[in-house]
Amino acid sequence: MSLSVNLPSLTIGTDAFDAIEEYCSQFGTTVAILGGEKALAASKEKLSAALEKTSLEVLTVQVYGKEASYTNVERMKAIKEVQDADMIFAVGGGRAIDTIKVVARDLDKPLFTIPTLASVSAPTSAVCVMYHDNHEMAGLAFRKAPADHTFIDTQIIAEAPYEYLWAGIGDCMSKEVETSFSSRGRDLSFENRLGVNVVKGTNDKLMEAGAKALEAVKNKEANAALEEVILEIIGASAYASVLVDNDINSNMAHAYYYGYTVLPQAHEHLHGEVVSYGILLLLTMDEQFEYRDRMKAFMESIKLPTKLADQGVTTQEEIDKLVDKAMTMDDLTFSPYEITREKFEQAIKDVEALA
């Protein structure tokens, strides 16, 4: 049986949009631009100026909605100009881009992503995290390959709200921890071994450059540290996601997040913000205490949550609901040992007991 490996392709820099003609013109001449309302506004000036220098014609610009739901996928697919376009540009953060990734897949259109936030690896990954209209996790959708190319304008990301890069660091920290844990003791195929190894060292880089990158966003000025962190979030993390089997791609940290989505306060907290607490749970359960303490110290230094109360979880009833959902997630099934409810609950108690 043949093996196909489709890796992300990207251009990064303050002049990234200058590469649009080079990468897009081979796919046709007409474009449908879909994205989040704020993202479209934030990128409009630079993207419009860049497109004027190309042979591409924009047929329509559409706000995708507010949730990565199949309702919004079907709404976008029904728009004639989207159907007629030679290619689709997806502009925004994770939920906007994941929605549009499914639209492009279903319509069999070339896809180009333009992240305006560095909060998740969605722009360069092939997996799409989908939600119900009530914001509860609905499941994963998959593409055969990531976007045809990703254009990362670092100045646009520098000017985005601080909390998105902050949460992006939290989400990215999980990739090295979860892939290493899920793959432990297994005879890995070529692509799985490559994916697990590509994120080794990611957390050292995030701990080294994370605070400087966040400072760049505070100052709204792109710098080398910001580019390094973006490349870990949208680069290395996505390479791992594309290469490894989905069973290896995530584990307890993401199961915790998906459990959290059943709580009403979930919409008040960002994906990576919540996932970062889940990392502490996994490292505690797995008795990687020295590594956990290093991660916790870094998280505290940039004010990522290290307590349930930081995420608005204050009652045992909320914890029970969260764990109920988390224990149903497939993320937990591919582990070096069984993750029981008792282990999950004990990890929460142990992390909450930390100073």
Side-chain angles (χ1 to χ4, degrees), residues 4 51 131 165 218 221 232 236 318 332 342:
S4 296
L51 286 170
Y131 296 83
L165 181 68
K218 280 185 179 179
E221 293 181 1
E232 296 301 329
E318 290 173 323
L332 299 178
E342 181 182 10

Side-chain angles (χ1 to χ4, degrees), residues 285-317:
M285 178 194 68
D286 200 43
E287 299 183 356
Q288 297 185 52
F289 300 129
E290 183 179 352
Y291 190 12
R292 177 203 64 194
D293 292 345
R294 285 181 60 218
M295 295 284 277
K296 182 173 180 286
F298 171 67
M299 289 166 60
E300 288 173 338
S301 75
I302 63 171
K303 297 183 169 52
L304 281 168
T306 59
K307 297 290 184 184
L308 288 173
D310 298 337
Q311 306 153 70
V313 180
T314 58
T315 69
Q316 187 60 46
E317 180 184 5

Side-chain angles (χ1 to χ4, degrees), residues 29-57:
T29 60
T30 57
V31 183
I33 301 176
L34 315 180
E37 183 175 10
K38 292 180 180 178
L40 291 169
S43 60
K44 182 178 180 179
E45 183 176 348
K46 289 192 78 171
L47 184 56
S48 296
L51 286 170
E52 286 178 2
K53 300 175 185 177
T54 72
S55 58
L56 303 179
E57 176 190 358

Side-chain angles (χ1 to χ4, degrees), residues 54-88:
T54 72
S55 58
L56 303 179
E57 176 190 358
V58 177
L59 298 186
T60 187
V61 179
Q62 296 285 339
V63 175
Y64 87 103
K66 293 184 179 294
E67 185 55 274
S69 69
Y70 289 105
T71 301
N72 286 326
V73 168
E74 294 305 319
R75 188 168 57 81
M76 291 294 101
K77 285 165 54 179
I79 297 171
K80 185 177 185 303
E81 291 85 355
V82 175
Q83 297 170 4
D84 291 343
D86 293 326
M87 67 198 80
I88 294 175

Side-chain angles (χ1 to χ4, degrees), residues 39-343:
L40 291 169
S43 60
K44 182 178 180 179
E45 183 176 348
K46 289 192 78 171
L47 184 56
S48 296
L51 286 170
E52 286 178 2
K53 300 175 185 177
T54 72
S55 58
L56 303 179
E57 176 190 358
V58 177
L59 298 186
T60 187
V61 179
Q62 296 285 339
V63 175
Y64 87 103
K66 293 184 179 294
E67 185 55 274
S69 69
Y70 289 105
T71 301
N72 286 326
V73 168
E74 294 305 319
R75 188 168 57 81
M76 291 294 101
K77 285 165 54 179
I79 297 171
K80 185 177 185 303
E81 291 85 355
V82 175
Q83 297 170 4
D84 291 343
D86 293 326
M87 67 198 80
I88 294 175
F89 282 13
V91 182
R95 297 198 183 202
I97 288 178
D98 276 350
T99 304
I100 302 160
K101 282 157 63 178
V102 178
V103 172
R105 180 200 68 181
D106 290 357
L107 295 177
D108 195 24
K109 302 280 187 184
L111 174 69
F112 298 89
T113 57
I114 299 174
T116 56
L117 310 169
S119 55
V120 290
S121 61
T124 40
S125 74
V127 65
C128 312
V129 183
M130 303 302 291
Y131 296 83
H132 297 295
D133 292 328
N134 67 358
H135 311 299
E136 186 177 336
M137 169 72 175
L140 302 177
F142 297 92
R143 293 171 50 87
K144 291 181 180 178
D148 292 279
H149 199 76
T150 297
F151 303 97
I152 308 168
D153 187 304
T154 49
Q155 185 57 40
I156 288 176
I157 291 177
E159 294 175 7
Y162 173 94
E163 60 266 25
Y164 290 104
L165 181 68
W166 171 74
I169 291 171
D171 184 50
C172 188
M173 290 192 305
S174 71
K175 190 65 69 177
E176 182 177 2
V177 174
E178 289 185 302
T179 56
S180 176
F181 177 75
S182 297
S183 64
R184 183 190 301 163
R186 302 187 184 277
D187 183 14
L188 300 177
S189 64
F190 165 77
E191 66 274 21
N192 281 312
R193 179 165 45 84
L194 190 61
V196 171
N197 285 325
V198 80
V199 284
K200 285 185 177 178
T202 283
N203 286 343
D204 287 338
K205 176 56 69 176
L206 292 174
M207 287 187 274
E208 172 193 326
K212 294 176 184 176
L214 289 168
E215 190 64 26
V217 173
K218 280 185 179 179
N219 296 331
K220 301 190 181 305
E221 293 181 1
N223 66 11
L226 177 61
E227 184 165 313
E228 288 178 342
V229 168
I230 292 170
L231 283 171
E232 296 301 329
I233 297 171
I234 300 180
S237 183
Y239 276 90
S241 177
V242 167
L243 284 163
V244 302
D245 294 339
N246 190 56
D247 290 334
I248 294 175
N249 195 39
S250 64
N251 203 281
M252 190 179 189
H254 276 80
Y256 170 79
Y257 166 76
Y258 297 135
Y260 185 80
T261 66
V262 305
L263 302 180
Q265 58 267 45
H267 71 280
E268 300 171 4
H269 296 270
L270 295 169
H271 173 92
E273 175 188 356
V274 178
V275 167
S276 65
Y277 180 84
I279 300 169
L280 298 181
L281 298 182
L282 193 159
L283 293 174
T284 298
M285 178 194 68
D286 200 43
E287 299 183 356
Q288 297 185 52
F289 300 129
E290 183 179 352
Y291 190 12
R292 177 203 64 194
D293 292 345
R294 285 181 60 218
M295 295 284 277
K296 182 173 180 286
F298 171 67
M299 289 166 60
E300 288 173 338
S301 75
I302 63 171
K303 297 183 169 52
L304 281 168
T306 59
K307 297 290 184 184
L308 288 173
D310 298 337
Q311 306 153 70
V313 180
T314 58
T315 69
Q316 187 60 46
E317 180 184 5
E318 290 173 323
I319 295 172
D320 290 343
K321 287 181 178 178
L322 185 160
V323 176
D324 285 344
K325 175 72 172 181
M327 294 306 300
T328 70
M329 301 309 301
D330 290 339
D331 305 71
L332 299 178
T333 60
F334 208 75
S335 303
Y337 49 80
E338 183 183 2
I339 300 178
T340 63
R341 186 185 184 97
E342 181 182 10
K343 281 187 170 70

